[in-house]
């Protein structure tokens, strides 16, 4: 796929769903070094000018230029639950997805913040309270259609099979071919940033699978959603009592042919 792929769900700026990589540019402070003076511009901080001159020099003292409009546009508000709530209230799911990613990085600890993305082993450092708060905002502003706990329920219904899960939440699309085939959606144009009737349940928020599915798996199995899991198991038990089919009956069920032939590429 020529488009960028879901390769940076939890990277600061870009994420995609194909197997090709991409650059991830942050927003470091600008640093300008003229030969005779040094001018440092740090976003959201005061500017300072250091000049070198000889006594009685007639050379004019350099003056710090005003911050450019581009620099002002590059500065974005710090991620917070309040910001996430405002974006979701406005129906700006695209920006809410970016804010969610930034929050996960921030909550995972100092190492993740310096690195700019989260290792699966760092998910344990995110408190259950914070992760539930993010999830509740997504559910509240999507009529229960989006959120991590929603994704967990669908993942469990998919027997924790990530390929089935990706298809179910619409992270993969069906190709127009004679043989049933699916491919990963290209970010951002092929994802659904509006809540419509045909938007798949659990489609948002997105999660990076650049280093495999362990990160997503650790989020979905986080203690924050343990209560939901118990409720799902109780519901599954009630369903099996009605249908006479247990959860284990599905484990041995053969995958459809297109899923057997499909080679999972978890580097997106």
């Amino acid at each position: 796929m020529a488009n960028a792929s879901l390769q940076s769900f939890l990277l600061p700026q870009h994420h995609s769903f194909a197997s090709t990589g991409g650059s991830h540019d942050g927003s470091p402070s600008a640093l300008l070094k003229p030969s005779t003076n040094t001018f440092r511009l740090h976003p959201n901080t005061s500017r300072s000018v250091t000049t070198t001159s000889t006594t009685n020099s007639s050379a004019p003292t350099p003056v710090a230029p005003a911050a450019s409009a581009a620099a002002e546009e590059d500065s974005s508000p710090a991620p917070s639950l309040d910001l996430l709530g405002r974006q979701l209230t406005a129906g700006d799911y695209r920006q809410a997805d970016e804010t969610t990613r930034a929050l996960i990085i921030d909550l995972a600890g100092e190492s993740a913040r310096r690195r700019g993305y989260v290792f699966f082993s760092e998910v344990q450092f995110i408190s259950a309270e914070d992760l539930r708060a993010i999830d509740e905002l997504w559910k509240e502003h999507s009529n229960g259609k989006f959120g991590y706990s929603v994704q967990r329920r669908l993942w469990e219904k998919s027997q924790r099979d990530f390929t089935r899960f990706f298809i179910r939440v619409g992270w993969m699309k069906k190709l127009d071919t004679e043989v049933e085939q699916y491919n990963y959606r290209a970010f951002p144009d092929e994802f659904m940033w509006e809540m419509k009737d045909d938007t798949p349940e659990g489609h948002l928020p997105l999660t990076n699978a650049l280093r495999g599915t362990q990160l997503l798996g650790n989020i979905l199995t986080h203690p924050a959603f343990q209560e939901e899991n118990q409720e799902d198991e109780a519901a599954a038990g009630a369903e099996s009592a009605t249908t006479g089919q247990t959860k284990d009956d599905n484990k041995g069920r053969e995958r459809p042919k297109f899923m057997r032939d499909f080679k999972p590429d978890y580097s997106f």
Side-chain angles (χ1 to χ4, degrees), residues 110-245:
E110 182 61 31
S111 295
R113 288 192 289 271
R114 289 198 306 267
R115 189 187 313 115
Y117 54 89
V118 179
F119 286 149
F120 74 89
S121 57
E122 295 170 325
V123 174
Q124 61 182 314
F125 303 134
I126 303 175
S127 73
E129 180 181 5
D130 288 332
L131 202 52
R132 271 196 298 266
I134 295 172
D135 180 59
E136 288 298 326
L137 283 173
W138 275 99
K139 289 193 298 183
E140 177 184 351
H141 296 288
S142 66
N143 295 325
K145 196 168 191 175
F146 299 149
Y148 291 125
S149 61
V150 176
Q151 292 174 351
R152 175 180 176 132
R153 173 171 52 80
L154 298 174
W155 182 52
E156 293 287 356
K157 286 187 175 182
S158 301
Q159 288 83 53
R160 297 195 173 191
D161 183 306
F162 280 103
T163 301
R164 292 178 187 268
F165 172 72
F166 292 156
I167 294 173
R168 191 163 195 161
V169 298
W171 292 357
M172 296 177 69
K173 62 179 182 179
K174 188 175 182 179
L175 301 180
D176 186 16
T177 55
E178 293 184 3
V179 179
E180 188 175 13
Q181 297 182 53
Y182 288 79
N183 203 355
Y184 303 108
R185 291 186 182 275
F187 179 87
D189 295 340
E190 293 187 351
F191 284 88
M192 305 171 199
W193 304 111
E194 296 180 3
M195 191 177 64
K196 300 180 179 179
D197 292 340
D198 59 347
T199 303
E201 186 181 18
H203 191 67
L204 297 172
L206 306 180
T207 300
N208 178 35
L210 176 63
R211 294 160 189 82
T213 56
Q214 285 179 299
L215 174 61
L216 179 57
N218 278 30
I219 291 176
L220 299 182
T221 56
H222 193 279
F225 311 121
Q226 187 172 13
E227 183 176 341
E228 283 86 351
N229 185 50
Q230 293 173 346
E231 293 176 355
D232 291 341
E233 289 180 350
E239 181 180 354
S240 62
T242 303
T243 63
Q245 185 181 52

Side-chain angles (χ1 to χ4, degrees), residues 29-30 32 38-50 62-69 71-72:
S29 301
L32 306 176
T38 300
F39 169 64
R40 295 176 182 268
L41 171 59
H42 297 274
N44 301 323
T45 61
S46 61
R47 295 187 292 272
S48 63
V49 177
T50 303
V63 178
S68 64
E72 293 295 332

